[in-house]
Structure formats: structure tokens, C-alpha cells
Amino acid sequence: MKNKYLLASFFISCLIANAQENTQKTDTLDEVVISSTRIDLPFEKNSRTIQLITAEDLKKTGISTVADALQQIAGIDIRRRGTNGMQADLYIRGGSFDQTSLLVDGIKVDDAQTGHHTMNLALPIEVIKRIEIIKGPAARIFGQNAFNGAVNIITKDLPDSDVSLRVQGGSYNQMDAAVTAGISLDKSSHIIHYSKNTSEGYRYNTDYDNQNFVLKSTFNKKNLPIAMLISLSDRNFGANGFYASPAAINQYEETKASLVGFSTVIKNGNFTWKPRVYWRRNEDEYIYIRNNPSIYRNLHISNKIAAELNGSYTSNIGVTGFGVETAKVYLSSNNLGDNNRFVSTLFLEHRFELFDDKMDITPGVAVTYFSDFKFFAFPGVDIGYQLHPNVRVYGNVGYTYRVPTFTDLNYKSPTTIGNPELEPEKAFSQEIGLKWNTERFNATMAVFNRDSNRLIDYVKMQNTDPWQPHNIQDVTTKGFETQLNYMFTLNSFNQKLQLGYSFIEDTVKQSTYNFSQYSVNSLKHQVVGSCHMQFLKNVTNSILYRYSERTNGDSYAVVDLGAAYTLSAFEFSLFANNIFNTVYTETNLVPMPKGNLLFGIRYNFK
């Protein structure tokens, strides 16, 4: 495509033109402590590929969902079906949606039924402080679902104002309304959010009606603070071609996801303890013919009850991180049957710092017991070296596993049957990278390799046979990615440029079966970029760009625009998605909408 490098050229020109600009003082990255590890480390001292999306980034872009925000990060593949993140799957570095973990304040919100529900509890952006994106083998930190990486959503302690009201409307009769309020008392603080999003749909049977509720409270602030998080997400939507065949235009789905969690932090001398308990529930009703559920209907209800105790100990030889986690998973389904799984994991790692703290070595291991798959170990090691106060080189290697979902094991339909004899997928991953961080410029570059074995493939010998999953695929994935951020001032206003690129090459072992559903369709080339600008006192605007080229040769480029005007306590916004009306699909041949406009008004009570 001729405009493949258009944005890159624009960004380079901006960098050159503004190379001599003076910058205003901003928070440096080493002030951000990554909260997704047992050993608390500043962002700059971490020897993994970790990227951040801050609340300020979300505000400047005008993006309204986590799914849309993640699409602006190289190496992340969000495959959406419809507008407003209605149904979206999360992929990292070419892995599947079942091989990626999503966390909320460190709580794992995976669903044992299927990875399709991973994004059901992606929170509204009004309550998000930042999003941490961890790429590469992360099983020894987050457990088996972090096959290729993880995304951790960190919630705000308090909102930006006491009460914020938002109303948006736009194309396809979209109507969004939200209220977010916060209060800080002597012994407790609270933030509460409620939103409702509706649309008639951008084509036949793509209407939706969503509701979200979030409550975060901190009690006993002056002694032993206890954090409580409650999140509810209710989604009802027409699913024209979302699943099965694109010709299945009358599908319908309702999902109800909820999370309740309690946690605290206890510091005692050289020890830090982080206990946590939580309950995650998901209800999924799928109807093949919306107006006639009797033809084919699935109802799945999953529950996960878990307890964790993570900690660290600081000594003369470094910091030791450790943890134990136990979880019980239940599934009740008219299709998959009644199932349960007990999971218990032990984590252990130690960070050595050598040569005046310029070099760090962090070996670690996670050992997990699955009641239906016995024991598995996830060893790995991270190594980093500070070449310069602003430059760090790093590398990491590790083993990862993924146990089959209950859908893989037990699904039944006229065309597909599960396989209870499936074994876990496994992979050995390696990565080498470089980080360059200054007050106004930061860059990450990494090359990686992943050797995956026993990947699950749906296959059959005869055309008339039903599809059935088997552990037959071996895939080698090699790749390179880079993300550049540049901040400068122009006419005393802060500006920010972002540019990212990723390349993935998959080598798939030929299947011995005559028919195979397994299709590696990674983003072979991916270019993402954004420009957040301000030239007038109360006006901000942004340009977002995405170019995607998949392994099968399909490619497209999408440009979005955002603008906001602030007048006293009011904020008026406009977000225009796909302004050039690009015709494209992200998954299952579901066409994405053209020219989607969303106008908004926000009022902040001070």
C-alpha cells in the first residue's frame, strides 16, 4: 500500500524540526513502579519488554475503550467485531487469544471456558490510571495463560474530579452516558462509575446495549489499608457473522461478567506481603438464530474463586520474590457439561544486582498443579545491563504452557466435537532488547523467538468428518518490534509523538491431516503511530494511524482523528474513526464500520 510509510515520514520530519525545542519538566519513567511483579521495580530498571498507556494518553487520543487503546501498541493484535469494543480478542506477538492473560490490579480475570471472554472485564477508561503491557514469556510471573504476554489494567486511586458526567452520541445511533464520582474521607476513599452504551448497529443485527459498573474503595487508610474492587459488565449484542460462518447473520449473544476482589499490602522490616482474594464470574448465552433460540442455544456459567499471597524479602544479596496462589474453577454448561478444576501455583524468583548495580540477573520458576493435568514448571531468567544512565540492554528466556480450555475439551455441535485427551501447549521463548529513556524521548527495540509445540489444531481426515482438536502443530515464531515516544513543547504547549513497528514470521510444520482449521494469520507487518498536539490554550487534537498486513497477504490502513475543547468545567470532544472509509476486516470476515463519528460533552464538578 502506497501510504505504508506515510506516517513514519511525517514523524521523522517532526522529530527533526523540533530537535532543538526546550521541554517542560515532566515525571520521568523511573518514577513509575511496575505493579505487575512481586519484586517492585521502577519502569527503567525492568529487564523485560514493558510498555505503558497512561490516563493522560487515553484522554489525549479521545479513545473510549481499552480495546481501541491497545491497538496503538506495536506487537498487540486486537481483533474486534463491531464498534465500541463490543466483542474483541487479545493477541500478543502472534499468539492466540487463549494464550494471553488480562489482569485488573493484578487480579487474573481469565475464563476457563474460552479466551473469547478475556476482554469482557476491560474497564471503562474513566477509572484507569494506566495500562501495563508485558510482552514475551510471562508464565512464571502470571501463570499459564500468559503464554505470550499479559496486560494489567491499573485502576485510579481517585478520579480527576469529585464528579464527572459524560454524554456521547454519534453514528449508528450510538448513545453513551457515564457518571464517575469519588470521595476521600478520613479513614476511607471511594471511586464509583456507571455507564450505559447503546447503538442500533452499523449493519443488520449488530445492535448492542451495554452497562458497566465499577466500585473501588480503600478502607482503614491510616493503619492497614484494604482495597476492595467490584466490577460488573453486562453486554447484549447482535452478532452478525461474529462466530461460526460469516453467513450466520442472525447470531446473538449476552455476557455478564463480574469481579469482586480484596487486597492489601503489609510491610514488616525487610518483608513485604501482598495477600489477595477474589471471585470472578462469567455468564455467556449464545443463540444461533436470535428470534428462535430453540434451534441452537448455549448457556455457560463459569466461576473462579482464588486466593494469593505474594511477597518479597530484601537482603544483602538482593531481593527475593515469592508467592503462592490457589484457585478453584467451576463451569456449568448445557453444551460443555459440569466441570471443575483446581489450580495451585508456587512462584519463586531472586534479583541479583552486580557491578555497582549496573547488571541484574533474575532467575525464577513457577510450578503449577492442575487437578486435570498434574504438575508443570515454568522456569526462566531475565538479565539486564545499564550501559548508560539512559540506556539498558536486556534479555530473557523462559518456558510457558497453556492448558486446554473447557471448550477445547468438551465442545459439541453438528460440525465440531471436543477432545478430552488434549495435552497442554508448550513453548520456549527467547528475547533480546534495548531501552533508551530520557526526559523527552524513550524507545524500546526487541527481537524475539518462540518455539511452540503441541499447539491445538482443529482437524479431520474426510470432508464429511466433524472437526476435532488435536495437539499436532509445531510453530516457530520470529519477530522484531520497536516503539518510539517523543515529547516536546511548541509555543509552551506539550506535544507527543508515538511510532511503533512490529514484524512477525511464522514457520508452521505441515499437518498430517487432510483438512486443518489452524491458520497462523499474525500481523506480519504492523505500523502504529499517533500525534497528540496542542496549539491553542483550550484545544487539543490527535491523529492515530494503523497499518496492518497479515500473513495471508491482507492489508489495510486506518486513520482516526480526535479533538477536544475545554471551556471552564465543560469539555467538548469529537472522535472520528476510519476517516478515509477503508474497507477492512479484523477477524472472521466481519466488516468493520466506515466513517464512525462520536461527539461528546463532559462536565466536571469541582
Side-chain angles (χ1 to χ4, degrees):
M1 189 173 290
K2 63 181 181 181
N3 61 349
K4 179 176 179 179
Y5 301 107
L6 176 62
L7 193 72
S9 301
F10 169 73
F11 274 62
I12 293 171
S13 300
C14 290
L15 290 174
I16 295 174
N18 293 285
Q20 303 301 319
E21 290 284 348
N22 294 322
T23 61
Q24 296 178 346
K25 175 63 177 164
T26 59
D27 291 337
T28 56
L29 287 174
D30 61 357
E31 295 172 341
V32 178
V33 176
I34 299 300
S35 56
S36 53
T37 59
R38 291 162 189 83
I39 301 176
D40 292 334
L41 290 173
F43 176 84
E44 286 189 335
K45 293 186 177 181
N46 212 293
S47 297
R48 303 184 68 87
T49 300
I50 299 178
Q51 292 169 262
L52 305 177
I53 302 174
T54 67
E56 186 67 17
D57 293 332
L58 294 171
K59 181 179 180 180
K60 287 182 177 180
T61 59
I63 283 173
S64 58
T65 69
V66 170
D68 293 343
L70 290 173
Q71 283 195 321
Q72 294 303 125
I73 300 296
I76 302 292
D77 183 7
I78 297 290
R79 303 186 189 181
R80 301 171 301 167
R81 298 169 172 87
T83 60
N84 202 34
M86 179 47 49
Q87 204 291 320
D89 292 331
L90 171 62
Y91 301 68
I92 295 181
R93 288 183 173 176
S96 74
F97 55 80
D98 282 321
Q99 298 173 339
T100 305
S101 183
L102 179 70
L103 303 93
V104 177
D105 285 342
I107 297 174
K108 306 174 183 67
V109 295
D110 56 288
D111 190 283
Q113 178 205 335
T114 173
H116 274 303
H117 298 315
T118 294
M119 296 291 287
N120 286 5
L121 278 169
L123 300 183
I125 62 172
E126 283 92 344
V127 301
I128 295 175
K129 181 178 182 179
R130 68 176 180 272
I131 303 172
E132 301 173 350
I133 302 155
I134 302 92
K135 300 175 185 176
R140 69 178 175 90
I141 300 174
F142 301 115
Q144 64 96 15
N145 281 90
F147 194 88
N148 297 310
V151 173
N152 191 15
I153 299 173
I154 307 299
T155 59
K156 291 180 178 178
D157 301 317
L158 283 176
D160 298 328
S161 59
D162 291 335
V163 179
S164 173
L165 301 178
R166 170 177 58 83
V167 178
Q168 291 178 298
S171 305
Y172 322 118
N173 286 325
Q174 295 178 82
M175 289 298 297
D176 301 345
V179 56
T180 307
I183 186 171
S184 182
L185 305 174
D186 185 45
K187 295 182 180 180
S188 65
S189 60
H190 311 272
I191 177 173
I192 187 169
H193 170 92
Y194 173 78
S195 58
K196 184 177 179 64
N197 323 111
T198 63
S199 172
E200 293 182 357
Y202 66 102
R203 62 192 186 111
Y204 170 74
N205 193 32
T206 58
D207 58 298
Y208 61 77
D209 186 345
N210 299 340
Q211 296 185 76
N212 297 285
F213 172 81
V214 179
L215 171 63
K216 181 179 181 180
S217 297
T218 302
F219 302 99
N220 199 32
K221 291 196 302 183
K222 293 185 177 180
N223 298 308
L224 181 63
I226 298 175
M228 178 185 74
L229 178 66
I230 299 175
S231 178
L232 306 172
S233 176
D234 187 348
R235 303 185 179 198
N236 309 315
F237 53 95
N240 182 345
F242 283 17
Y243 318 108
S245 166
I249 63 174
N250 291 301
Q251 299 172 96
Y252 175 74
E253 188 166 19
E254 295 185 2
T255 66
K256 296 176 175 62
S258 60
L259 174 67
V260 179
F262 294 88
S263 62
T264 188
V265 177
I266 305 170
K267 294 187 177 181
N268 184 7
N270 292 340
F271 281 97
T272 299
W273 303 94
K274 300 177 181 179
R276 176 188 293 128
V277 295
Y278 62 93
W279 168 37
R280 196 265 196 199
R281 185 182 189 275
N282 191 77
E283 181 178 325
D284 173 33
E285 182 180 24
Y286 166 79
I287 298 173
Y288 184 68
I289 302 295
R290 182 170 184 167
N291 296 324
N292 192 353
S294 62
I295 292 180
Y296 189 85
R297 172 182 175 270
N298 285 333
L299 177 62
H300 317 286
I301 300 175
S302 62
N303 286 275
K304 177 184 179 182
I305 302 172
E308 300 179 21
L309 178 59
N310 295 308
S312 64
Y313 176 75
T314 303
S315 65
N316 293 332
I317 59 172
V319 182
T320 303
F322 48 86
V324 58
E325 172 188 341
T326 59
K328 185 74 173 183
V329 176
Y330 302 90
L331 177 68
S332 177
S333 168
N334 68 332
N335 185 303
L336 306 176
D338 294 334
N339 300 271
N340 67 82
R341 175 181 292 163
F342 176 76
V343 183
S344 183
T345 304
L346 293 174
F347 302 90
L348 179 64
E349 60 182 348
H350 184 85
R351 180 180 173 94
F352 298 93
E353 294 188 341
L354 310 170
F355 308 119
D356 295 327
D357 295 340
K358 289 185 176 180
M359 184 175 186
D360 59 87
I361 303 175
T362 308
V365 64
V367 179
T368 300
Y369 170 78
F370 301 95
S371 58
D372 48 350
F373 289 102
K374 305 309 178 184
F375 286 94
F376 295 95
F378 318 117
V381 61
D382 305 336
I383 300 176
Y385 189 82
Q386 202 74 32
L387 291 174
H388 180 272
N390 298 326
V391 180
R392 165 179 287 267
V393 293
Y394 64 95
N396 53 74
V397 297
Y399 284 92
T400 59
Y401 290 78
R402 181 189 75 89
V403 299
T405 65
F406 288 130
T407 296
D408 294 328
L409 295 168
N410 302 318
Y411 188 73
K412 300 183 295 292
S413 79
T415 59
T416 305
I417 57 174
N419 182 358
E421 303 301 320
L422 288 173
E423 297 182 8
E425 302 175 327
K426 63 179 182 179
F428 178 55
S429 299
Q430 316 93 46
E431 176 184 29
I432 297 175
L434 180 144
K435 298 179 182 180
W436 179 14
N437 295 316
T438 67
E439 187 175 345
R440 62 177 179 176
F441 177 79
N442 64 78
T444 300
M445 291 167 280
V447 294
F448 57 90
N449 179 78
R450 183 174 65 248
D451 298 311
S452 304
N453 306 112
R454 301 190 310 202
L455 294 186
I456 295 172
D457 189 358
Y458 283 73
V459 295
K460 58 185 178 180
M461 291 300 297
Q462 304 295 329
N463 193 34
T464 55
D465 294 339
W467 295 104
Q468 186 175 37
H470 289 273
N471 295 97
I472 64 170
Q473 284 292 359
D474 293 342
V475 179
T476 298
T477 302
K478 302 179 185 296
F480 166 80
E481 65 184 27
T482 183
Q483 187 89 16
L484 311 175
N485 300 322
Y486 178 58
M487 292 158 284
F488 60 95
T489 57
L490 188 62
N491 297 330
S492 76
F493 296 115
N494 291 328
Q495 322 289 330
K496 185 174 182 179
L497 302 175
Q498 294 179 292
L499 180 64
Y501 170 74
S502 71
F503 168 79
I504 290 177
E505 182 178 66
D506 295 300
T507 303
V508 184
K509 180 181 177 182
Q510 183 66 35
S511 172
T512 58
Y513 285 77
N514 293 330
F515 300 91
S516 169
Q517 277 189 353
Y518 195 96
S519 176
V520 175
N521 198 19
S522 307
L523 288 177
K524 185 172 184 178
H525 295 285
Q526 180 188 28
V527 180
V528 295
S530 61
C531 182
H532 311 305
M533 301 163 289
Q534 183 174 3
F535 304 111
L536 300 175
K537 182 179 180 180
N538 297 323
V539 180
T540 60
N541 51 81
S542 63
I543 303 173
L544 309 179
Y545 175 88
R546 291 181 290 118
Y547 171 81
S548 301
E549 180 183 328
R550 297 200 176 275
T551 303
N552 64 5
D554 292 342
S555 65
Y556 56 86
V558 176
V559 178
D560 305 331
L561 297 179
Y565 171 65
T566 302
L567 179 63
S568 186
F570 286 93
E571 180 183 284
F572 303 89
S573 64
L574 166 66
F575 187 76
N577 170 248
N578 192 11
I579 63 172
F580 295 121
N581 293 332
T582 299
V583 177
Y584 72 106
T585 66
E586 294 181 354
T587 187
N588 205 42
L589 300 180
V590 176
M592 295 299 293
K594 303 177 184 178
N596 180 19
L597 297 177
L598 197 62
F599 300 88
I601 302 175
R602 184 190 303 271
Y603 184 80
N604 298 315
F605 296 86
K606 299 296 184 182

